[in-house]
Amino acid sequence: MRTTSNASMGSPGRARTRPKGGRPRMAPLLALCAAAALALAGCTSGGGGKDAPSPSPTVSKALITTKPQDGADHVGIGVKDVGANVTLGTFTSVTLTAQGGREIPGELNPARTAWHPSANLTRGTAYVLTAQAKDPDGRTATRTTHFTTVSPSNSAVAFYTPEDASTVGVGMEVSFKFDKPVADRRAVESAVKITSTGGQQAAGHWFGTQRIDFRPQDFWKPGSKVTVSFDFDGLELAKGIYGVQDRTFSFTVGREQISTVDAATQTMTVQQNGAVLRKLPVSTGSPQYATYNGTMVISEQDRQTKMNSTTVGLGDEYDIPDVPHAQRLTNSGTFIHGNYWAAPSTFGTAATSHGCIGIQDTQGGADPDSPGAWFYANSLLGDVVIVRNSTGGGTVAPDNGLNGWNLPWTTWTTEQPTPSPSQPPPQPTASPSTTTTG
């Protein structure tokens, strides 16, 4: 399974089928009655003979088409899924109304021949689309369409990272997490296109049935712009489950920053673009709660956060309401963060935390000259933190955070039939009443 930026990613997925269920409606009967009325209106009365002039046409030439057709079910919620067009005429009004009477805003093109909603619709909702137009002779035409959008139980949404227009570090992975299991993996892979101005190609790797991450073979090139397009809208992801999203986003890769933590010496060397920027004393996990080894990526940043041991299964060992400058490295709770409760002599000399990497800081994090504040200010989401020589820490799992860099490229590009096992959570921080760091 290989997904690349410049070629078709994987074999084509299933056809985009969206079942259209019919339902009894009055529209066909009304249309039949209207046709009969028009036929009567075309008759002449009085002394008309074979030489009498033909009556003026009464039917508008304006031809209105709508997307979807009347009576459709399981309609997508994207702005491209719904619309109206007219030929041989121009629209005078188009309205889209949700059940309950709420009108959905929309946009007409400058020629007033095409209309679409200006925002995504709501899943599992009935809508009525009414379009009115007139032909060059001023004769009017109307078309009304009833449809229902795909229900939450029959649709899937993908949450993705990073954010559009963000600037990230060289280790950032493009990650999609679906709210329902995906059966047709190749269809998803083929629906994602990734391009980079640095010329790098990105490949996808599945972690279970609901998450796929994309990355290049090596870290992103600094300064490059990466564009991600994905079209899951109408795609049958599993039996009876359809995607509803069609989007494009991009991000810029900033300078290269790689910070290497040596647990044997309790120091961290921060490098930018290959040059040493600063060396900081740290405190890593104690032998009982050793910090993971391996390549980790900053996936979350909080100027201040609460850390409680109960969230990682350590009972009531600690409860710190104001941990400063916290940056997440794993989903299971490993952070690199500021520490104000340990003695300054701890940093650079002792491994005393519950698995995190602690940096000397001040309570409240107000001192910009503290090492913790400095590292936070100089970090981006997607920056790389490498930990070495952590005795007993093991290697971080590639799906525990955005840490797929720990898989060799040949493994990354090989499809795995079973989900990748997650590691048990490490313990993120320590009690301020002890001398340990978080």
Side-chain angles (χ1 to χ4, degrees):
M1 176 210 69
R2 181 185 298 268
T3 305
T4 63
S5 57
N6 299 320
S8 175
M9 297 183 288
S11 61
R14 292 181 186 152
R16 292 167 181 265
T17 57
R18 182 180 290 112
K20 296 178 173 59
R23 63 176 62 174
R25 297 202 181 274
M26 295 300 295
L29 179 60
L30 292 175
L32 189 61
C33 295
L38 291 174
L40 292 174
C43 298
T44 58
S45 60
K50 67 177 181 178
D51 295 325
S54 300
S56 300
T58 58
V59 179
S60 176
K61 295 179 180 179
L63 178 61
I64 301 172
T65 58
T66 62
K67 180 183 179 181
Q69 296 181 354
D70 187 46
D73 290 324
H74 303 293
V75 175
I77 63 172
V79 296
K80 296 180 180 180
D81 293 307
V82 177
N85 290 273
V86 62
T87 57
L88 301 178
T90 56
F91 282 123
T92 55
S93 70
V94 182
T95 58
L96 179 62
T97 306
Q99 59 187 22
R102 180 173 60 92
E103 187 170 326
I104 311 303
E107 300 176 3
L108 277 170
N109 67 347
R112 302 184 68 84
T113 58
W115 180 94
H116 63 80
S118 55
N120 286 348
L121 307 186
T122 303
R123 292 189 288 176
T125 303
Y127 289 88
V128 178
L129 176 63
T130 303
Q132 294 182 325
K134 64 179 179 180
D135 66 12
D137 295 322
R139 291 173 296 227
T140 62
T142 301
R143 186 177 182 87
T144 301
T145 299
H146 303 79
F147 65 91
T148 304
T149 52
V150 63
S151 67
S153 61
N154 289 103
S155 61
V157 171
F159 302 91
Y160 59 89
T161 192
E163 294 289 335
D164 184 34
S166 59
T167 299
V168 302
V170 297
M172 176 58 71
E173 296 177 8
V174 178
S175 181
F176 292 91
K177 296 179 182 178
F178 292 85
D179 63 355
K180 292 183 178 66
V182 173
D184 195 345
R185 295 182 178 186
R186 293 194 181 277
V188 170
E189 295 160 23
S190 298
V192 179
K193 309 296 180 184
I194 300 178
T195 58
S196 168
T197 58
Q200 293 172 282
Q201 294 184 338
H205 185 88
W206 285 92
F207 296 108
T209 60
Q210 293 180 240
R211 174 181 168 185
I212 182 171
D213 290 2
F214 293 83
R215 69 167 178 89
Q217 183 172 1
D218 302 307
F219 295 140
W220 296 106
K221 293 180 181 179
S224 59
K225 182 177 180 179
V226 181
T227 300
V228 182
S229 298
F230 63 95
D231 186 2
F232 304 143
D233 189 24
L235 194 65
E236 189 171 23
L237 306 176
K239 185 175 178 58
I241 304 297
Y242 299 88
V244 294
Q245 295 160 291
D246 177 9
R247 296 182 184 175
T248 297
F249 68 94
S250 62
F251 58 90
T252 301
V253 182
R255 77 289 175 275
E256 179 191 68
Q257 179 164 302
I258 299 176
S259 302
T260 303
V261 176
D262 187 347
T265 61
Q266 296 298 301
T267 59
M268 179 171 68
T269 302
V270 182
Q271 291 180 296
Q272 277 194 8
N273 301 320
V276 175
L277 196 62
R278 190 170 176 180
K279 290 188 176 183
L280 298 174
V282 299
S283 184
T284 61
S286 67
Q288 184 180 0
Y289 305 111
T291 303
Y292 288 137
N293 290 290
T295 301
M296 290 174 269
V297 171
I298 295 175
S299 59
E300 178 184 316
Q301 294 176 309
D302 295 297
R303 290 189 177 275
Q304 183 171 291
T305 191
K306 179 178 180 177
M307 292 187 178
N308 188 291
S309 56
T310 60
T311 64
V312 289
L314 286 183
D316 57 356
E317 283 204 16
Y318 56 82
D319 184 9
I320 309 175
D322 56 353
V323 177
H325 301 123
Q327 303 188 83
R328 181 183 291 275
L329 299 177
T330 71
N331 293 341
S332 59
T334 307
F335 284 76
I336 182 167
H337 64 76
N339 180 309
Y340 64 83
W341 53 90
S345 60
T346 302
F347 304 98
T349 62
T352 56
S353 83
H354 283 72
C356 286
I357 302 165
I359 311 174
Q360 186 179 357
D361 211 329
T362 57
Q363 188 168 13
D367 183 3
D369 296 325
S370 69
W374 178 88
F375 183 70
Y376 184 92
N378 284 275
S379 295
L380 294 172
L381 293 176
D383 277 351
V384 177
V385 177
I386 301 173
V387 178
R388 295 173 177 161
N389 303 319
S390 177
T391 302
T395 301
V396 65
D399 61 343
N400 191 2
L402 300 176
N403 299 326
W405 303 101
N406 295 283
L407 280 180
W409 184 245
T410 53
T411 304
W412 182 266
T413 54
T414 301
E415 184 174 1
Q416 292 189 347
T418 56
S420 174
S422 295
Q423 290 173 288
Q427 292 68 42
T429 183
S431 168
S433 62
T434 71
T435 59
T436 58
T437 66

